[in-house]
Amino acid sequence: MSRDDTTADEPESDDTALQSRGRDSADGPRADADPAVVAARSRDAEPDTAEIRELAAAAGYAVVGEVTQRRREDPTYGLGRGAAEDLMRLAAETDAAAVIYDGSLSPGQTFSLGDLLPTGTAVVDRPRLALELFGDAADSRTADLQLELARLRYELPRLRETAARDSSEDVRLRPEGDGRVRDVERRIESAERALDRLGDDREKRRAERRDAGFDLVALAGYANAGKSTLARRLADDADDPERVDDSDGTADPEDPDGADDPDGTSTAGGPGGSLSAGDRPFETLSTATRRATLGGRRAVVTDTVGFLDGLPHEAIRSFRATLDAVRRADCVLLVVDASEGPAAVRRKLRTSLSAIEATDGPVIPVLTKVDRVDPDDLDAAADACESVAGTLGGRDVPVAGSLRSPVPVSARNGAGLGDLIDAVADALPTATATVTVPNGGDAQAALSWAYDRGVVSDVDYAGETVAVELAGRPDIVAAAERRLAGGDDGGS
Ligand SMILES: Nc1nc2c(ncn2[C@@H]2O[C@H](COP(=O)(O)OP(=O)(O)O)[C@@H](O)[C@H]2O)c(=O)[nH]1
Ligand SMILES: [Mg+2]
């Protein structure tokens, strides 16, 4: 299906299950998985290749070897010459379909490494691997456009490099590459424009939801942190979530299950922790929204795309629905897997915060999967959280200033959920007021308006008047004061 086939009437699910290259195999690599060699370099310590191997496996590669190196960045190959040659030999021996580089390679480095490697061995750096992982099964217009934009932005500098190389060998004034470059530039502009329009629609829906008294809560965090599992836990009806709306207004209202595990291959029963063979780190490509009642407040909870280390800023910028949902939320739950140890907590929290940059509302770090964590380790994870908040705050990442204290939970067994809900209710901007309504014909209508949009803690009938104690979003409470007390709709 080409992107232009997507119409507003088309049934589509919200919580997109992405087709990754290897996902038809739930247990380990497919028999026909492409052999790949991992390459990693790190300046300060021996590189840890666990995550890149997991990503490679999730994308359908069988990792058959690795070359790691401890040294500074090399401008030619991204690795030192010796390591690059080791890589070349290993790729040849193993007949590797790809060399997977744990980091970003410049277009020039990609070409140089490609020239060195055997013909038929592709160079796949981390951003390209992530794009492969996203697959091509995005099934909402927004998801489709975002993915296309991320791919085009990745492709553009590489195409420019190709064009430059072509034109230096070829004396023609207008090498073919120029046309391709212009074409990609045009497609980027058009995708950006289309996403702008869809972003305006989402903004309008956010405003409507706020007017209706909903608080907007967004779940954000690193890939596989446990966001979607927690979103399902928080939903009013965890088994049959009522979808409020989808990311771009093209949901099928007849398909309430579409928001949740559309293809019945939920990983919720899986082992959790770091990526296991059945996990799909980019399962959630569209932003999925569900209703939830949090401490009496009616909320719309939005699940988002996971962040990943080593993605260039422009790739992250492509995921506009996620960034908008997070930045414009009344409260963000920043989900962190507490079971991976303090170093991973620090790294993934830092990556997530840097991607978010800034938010309108408070951010609550949620240390999840505590069912797999010893109390001591949980303390260490919480300390790691606080230390990131401290260091980033001083480094011009404004969102660090919005961080609250971390809340430990398990979305698996429900531990800590009550505390989390209290923390959210606490963090949401709240106003209270006692409004007095004439005890006449319109009093009941006014009361039900208040019940619909806020938390009514007391109703006192005192003869001529009714006194209503109301708490809720400040704008709702202000509207209530105008509406109920002023009788601005002409009621008596
Ligand atoms: N043990 C445990 N595993 C969890 C918990 N929450 C999520 N998981 C597992 O972690 C993996 C990733 O979860 P998911 O919600 O898809 O992560 P997302 O990528 O952030 O949306 C899945 O295998 C989940 O079953 C939890 O509280 N405890
Ligand atoms: Mg998810």
Side-chain angles (χ1 to χ4, degrees), residues 334 345-357 384-403:
L334 186 40
V345 167
R346 252 193 309 276
R347 171 171 67 86
K348 295 183 175 182
L349 191 59
R350 203 179 289 129
T351 298
S352 303
L353 289 168
S354 307
I356 294 169
E357 289 178 349
C385 243
E386 308 266 14
S387 80
V388 169
T391 52
L392 278 187
R395 269 194 228 143
D396 228 23
V397 182
V399 65
S402 315
L403 282 170

Side-chain angles (χ1 to χ4, degrees), residues 15 227-229 281 283-284 303-304:
D15 199 354
K227 300 175 295 298
S228 299
T229 312
E283 185 177 14
T284 317
D303 187 16
T304 62

Side-chain angles (χ1 to χ4, degrees), residues 198-408:
L198 290 166
D200 292 346
D201 294 346
R202 283 196 307 276
E203 184 59 38
K204 216 178 292 162
R205 268 199 304 283
R206 275 193 290 272
E208 285 164 8
R209 286 171 180 168
R210 285 198 171 101
D211 286 349
F214 286 104
D215 293 295
L216 310 186
V217 174
L219 284 119
Y222 205 81
N224 231 42
K227 300 175 295 298
S228 299
T229 312
L230 184 60
R232 286 191 287 265
R233 263 283 180 181
L234 290 173
D236 279 339
D237 191 339
D239 295 327
D240 184 18
E242 177 189 8
R243 189 163 68 213
V244 180
D245 202 349
D246 82 318
S247 59
D248 52 13
T250 50
D252 178 7
E254 302 298 308
D255 177 26
D257 286 325
D260 192 82
D261 198 16
D263 59 1
T265 53
S266 167
T267 53
S274 61
L275 296 174
S276 64
D279 280 338
R280 285 168 283 148
F282 296 110
E283 185 177 14
T284 317
L285 182 53
S286 296
T287 48
T289 51
R290 295 182 181 79
R291 284 184 196 199
T293 310
L294 306 174
R297 299 282 282 253
R298 295 185 318 148
V300 171
V301 173
T302 303
D303 187 16
T304 62
V305 186
F307 302 120
L308 193 68
D309 269 327
L311 292 190
H313 188 68
E314 59 184 18
I316 292 167
R317 263 203 308 131
S318 304
F319 291 90
R320 292 261 299 273
T322 284
L323 291 178
D324 289 353
V326 173
R327 291 175 180 164
R328 302 281 294 113
D330 298 306
C331 178
V332 176
L333 302 184
L334 186 40
V335 183
V336 185
D337 184 343
S339 70
E340 295 182 308
V345 167
R346 252 193 309 276
R347 171 171 67 86
K348 295 183 175 182
L349 191 59
R350 203 179 289 129
T351 298
S352 303
L353 289 168
S354 307
I356 294 169
E357 289 178 349
T359 50
D360 286 354
V363 179
I364 302 175
V366 181
L367 289 166
T368 191
K369 309 193 191 178
V370 295
D371 53 287
R372 312 172 70 219
V373 187
D374 292 337
D376 283 354
D377 296 340
L378 187 56
D379 288 345
D383 289 347
C385 243
E386 308 266 14
S387 80
V388 169
T391 52
L392 278 187
R395 269 194 228 143
D396 228 23
V397 182
V399 65
S402 315
L403 282 170
R404 303 291 170 107
S405 302
V407 182

Side-chain angles (χ1 to χ4, degrees), residues 3 25 64 126 130 187 196 235 279 320 330 345 359 368 464:
R3 156 171 85 68
S25 66
V64 293
R126 204 180 236 269
R187 284 162 65 199
D196 276 346
D279 280 338
R320 292 261 299 273
D330 298 306
V345 167
T359 50
T368 191
E464 302 278 280

Side-chain angles (χ1 to χ4, degrees), residues 2-41:
S2 90
R3 156 171 85 68
D4 294 325
D5 295 332
T6 309
T7 69
D9 311 318
E10 198 175 331
E12 62 180 86
S13 71
D14 208 12
D15 199 354
T16 308
L18 282 160
Q19 205 77 39
S20 83
R21 292 155 41 98
R23 59 166 288 204
D24 42 348
S25 66
D27 327 286
R30 296 175 310 199
D32 62 341
D34 291 327
V37 177
V38 161
R41 178 199 58 78

